[in-house]
Amino acid sequence: MWEITLPRTIVIGEEALEYLKTIEGRRALIVTDRVIESLNFVSRVEKHLREARLDVKIFNKVEAEPSTESVFRCLEAVREYQPDWIIAIGGGSTIDTAKAVWVLYERPDVKIDEINPLTKLGLRSKAKMIAIPTTSGSGSEATWAIVITDTKEKRKMELASREVVSDIVILDPELTLSMPPRLAADTGIDALANAIEGYISRWRNDISDVFAVAAVKMIFNYLPRSFRDPGDREAREKMHYAAMLAGAAFSNSQIGIAHAMGHAIGAVFKIPHGRSVSAVLITSIEYNLREIEDRLVELAQAIGIKEESNVKMVEKFIQKVGDLLREVGEPLTIRELGISREEFDDRLDELVDKAMMSTGTIANPRIPTREDYMRLFMYAYEGREVDF
């Protein structure tokens, strides 16, 4: 039996923000960061909410790769204001912050590290949530995952509850036109990793497969254009939808070792998520290859690869992934993240410890041992083809 969880309402297309005029309620707290606020997106959201006769307050202090401290600062504002709508506008960091705050607002008896799929939270007694992504990567708007950095333990907590899936998602492609090429690439490759790992996960299903394949096709078609030309409205729009589909895919299956390793790298070396996952993506595919050849053949076919044998199909698919990473300036190895060999060797045990704790380890097609992870990190650093 599979339980598929998705946002109740997804609003897409030009002027999607206009939907906010239909919201019914009393008070809305907008969760965002100063960069997004400076682009006048927040003022537009506020205007529409006021037209809907809601009182509005803004919290604009979300940080990139959000920490527990950042969450608690936002929580203080939420508890003081007592909104019945929490509205996140920004990237995955903003949406994850809002999700965590939402739980702690509704359940003050729950600690942040206790947010898990087995604990009934009873959300929506105080507030509902709207997610308005401005980047096209994490898919957090459609997922029941929350990633928050525990700065004391220097690890990324992978929290989850089906109850934190947004009530309303607004995908307005105009909000993505301000993304610089580097951010478009970082977030786009995150979406690609989400889709691939959702498709090869041990917990995949027919519904998550549909989302994953659609996302992979769109990313290969539109990410290069989105990266090259920020004004390419069609490419930016399609990437926005692809990121949501990829999020829905892995949220209803699971991540794998690319995310387990990427989260570890991000926590230890403070590397943006998309780049840290990019650096290990090909290594992770090669490690899983013996368990997922048929799945990779299907993904190869989805992006138009035609070869005479499955082996060549898979080889060409992996090559295409590498070509895409290069085309948008993403790293193929950990070394390319600017981490010295000395730094890497000094923190290797810590990286392995953190990867072993990830839910991506459990659902990966091939379950890695500690020794496997040691070798995977070293191979990913050097760019060696996996041969074990």
Side-chain angles (χ1 to χ4, degrees):
M1 181 180 74
W2 297 100
E3 179 181 352
I4 305 299
T5 304
L6 298 167
R8 179 176 179 178
T9 300
I10 301 172
V11 186
I12 68 172
E14 292 186 11
E15 299 183 354
L17 278 184
E18 298 275 338
Y19 185 84
L20 292 169
K21 296 178 182 179
T22 70
I23 300 301
E24 296 181 356
R26 296 173 296 114
R27 288 188 295 274
L29 183 97
I30 300 173
V31 179
T32 190
D33 61 55
R34 289 191 174 94
V35 172
I36 296 301
E37 189 175 36
S38 72
L39 296 171
N40 295 321
F41 297 158
V42 175
S43 62
R44 291 174 57 191
V45 169
E46 182 180 11
K47 177 178 178 290
H48 294 329
L49 291 171
R50 293 196 186 280
E51 289 180 34
R53 300 186 182 280
L54 274 72
D55 291 327
V56 182
K57 184 174 181 178
I58 299 167
F59 177 86
N60 65 357
K61 299 177 182 177
V62 172
E63 62 183 13
E65 309 290 328
S67 65
T68 49
E69 290 84 359
S70 178
V71 168
F72 293 134
R73 283 194 294 270
C74 185
L75 177 61
E76 185 177 349
V78 171
R79 285 176 173 167
E80 179 182 345
Y81 188 57
Q82 295 286 303
D84 48 1
W85 284 100
I86 296 174
I87 301 177
I89 175 166
S93 294
T94 294
I95 297 171
D96 280 1
T97 297
K99 287 180 182 177
V101 166
W102 184 22
V103 173
L104 302 178
Y105 169 50
E106 299 244 11
R107 290 291 304 272
D109 57 315
V110 172
K111 295 179 180 178
I112 190 168
D113 60 358
E114 294 174 343
I115 301 172
N116 66 75
L118 302 179
T119 299
K120 183 172 176 56
L121 298 171
L123 300 189
R124 297 172 175 81
S125 63
K126 292 182 180 180
K128 294 181 181 179
M129 181 169 163
I130 300 174
I132 309 173
T134 59
T135 60
S136 307
S138 74
S140 183
E141 65 273 10
T143 78
W144 43 288
I146 307 171
V147 180
I148 303 294
T149 299
D150 184 331
T151 51
K152 292 182 179 178
E153 296 189 15
K154 294 182 179 179
R155 68 183 179 97
K156 290 196 174 187
M157 296 185 293
E158 296 172 358
L159 313 172
S161 169
R162 292 185 182 274
E163 296 182 51
V164 304
V165 173
S166 306
D167 295 281
I168 300 170
V169 170
I170 297 178
L171 299 176
D172 192 323
E174 186 177 346
L175 303 183
T176 70
L177 297 178
S178 61
M179 273 196 301
R182 178 75 280 124
L183 182 58
D186 288 353
T187 54
I189 294 304
D190 182 19
L192 178 64
N194 288 343
I196 291 174
E197 295 210 305
Y199 194 69
I200 65 174
S201 168
R202 290 159 60 91
W203 298 349
R204 64 185 181 264
N205 56 77
D206 288 344
I207 304 300
S208 64
D209 281 356
V210 172
F211 297 144
V213 172
V216 168
K217 290 172 65 176
M218 293 170 78
I219 292 165
F220 270 93
N221 284 335
Y222 293 103
L223 179 56
R225 284 172 51 183
S226 175
F227 173 71
R228 287 194 303 267
D229 181 7
D232 187 333
R233 299 182 71 93
E234 181 186 31
R236 288 292 171 105
E237 180 176 10
K238 297 298 187 182
M239 281 302 303
H240 215 35
Y241 303 158
M244 186 277 294
L245 290 168
F250 88 81
S251 184
N252 288 287
S253 53
Q254 189 50 273
I255 55 174
I257 61 168
H259 277 80
M261 296 171 70
H263 284 164
I265 293 167
V268 172
F269 294 108
K270 301 188 183 305
I271 304 291
H273 176 64
R275 295 185 70 76
S276 61
V277 171
S278 175
V280 298
L281 182 56
I282 289 180
T283 299
S284 72
I285 294 172
E286 291 175 347
Y287 176 75
N288 286 316
L289 181 55
R290 70 188 192 195
E291 302 292 337
I292 60 166
E293 180 179 291
D294 60 331
R295 306 295 285 180
L296 294 183
V297 168
E298 290 164 3
L299 290 180
Q301 291 170 334
I303 63 171
I305 294 173
K306 296 178 181 179
E307 293 290 345
E308 60 190 30
S309 69
N310 285 354
V311 171
K312 288 188 176 181
M313 290 279 282
V314 170
E315 288 177 352
K316 191 66 175 288
F317 178 75
I318 294 173
Q319 178 187 327
K320 287 285 189 181
V321 171
D323 290 345
L324 179 60
L325 297 181
R326 286 288 185 225
E327 186 172 0
V328 299
E330 289 293 310
L332 274 71
T333 68
I334 296 174
R335 180 190 286 114
E336 292 174 50
L337 295 172
I339 300 168
S340 71
R341 187 62 194 239
E342 183 180 7
E343 287 180 294
F344 175 75
D345 289 342
D346 286 346
R347 308 299 288 274
L348 181 56
D349 282 331
E350 186 179 358
L351 289 170
V352 172
D353 288 342
K354 287 175 167 48
M356 290 288 290
M357 295 169 61
S358 172
T359 53
T361 298
I362 301 169
N364 196 65
R366 182 180 170 192
I367 305 299
T369 63
R370 183 178 181 81
E371 181 182 354
D372 285 347
Y373 263 134
M374 292 285 286
R375 297 177 72 183
L376 284 167
F377 274 111
M378 289 188 288
Y379 276 48
Y381 186 89
E382 298 168 358
R384 293 173 58 187
E385 183 176 350
V386 175
D387 55 5
F388 61 93

